[in-house]
Amino acid sequence: MGKNSSNFEIKLDRPSGVFYAGEVVTGSMTLQANGETCRSLLISMIGKAKVHWHIGGGDNRTDYDGKKIFLESERTLWGNFYRTTILDNAGAD
């Protein structure tokens, strides 16, 4: 890595990345910021499921599918996170 480079990695404790309803998602996050300025750190999480199956075959085949969102959440992990043009441009000059 160069002098002013950064690295970000999320590693789930389950390599497949598949979790089932009611299970706790666990893992770790690594952030390395060399020579960078960071006002805050916000993580956005989306947990969703998609399923498809069929019954029968040939002309008697019926297909089913579904989608469900279990989680949509944002959390500030460090600092203050306000989305305003005033703060986004702060320190520009």
Side-chain angles (χ1 to χ4, degrees), residues 13-66:
D13 288 340
R14 190 172 296 169
S16 68
V18 176
F19 293 83
Y20 297 94
E23 289 187 308
V24 176
V25 178
T26 58
S28 61
M29 182 182 78
T30 303
L31 173 64
Q32 180 181 9
N34 299 324
E36 303 288 334
T37 301
C38 182
R39 185 172 64 234
S40 64
L41 182 61
L42 173 84
I43 187 167
S44 297
M45 299 168 282
I46 300 174
K48 59 185 174 181
K50 293 191 275 187
V51 63
H52 177 84
W53 73 98
H54 62 269
I55 298 174
D59 291 339
N60 294 324
R61 179 175 161 154
T62 304
D63 287 270
Y64 300 92
D65 59 28

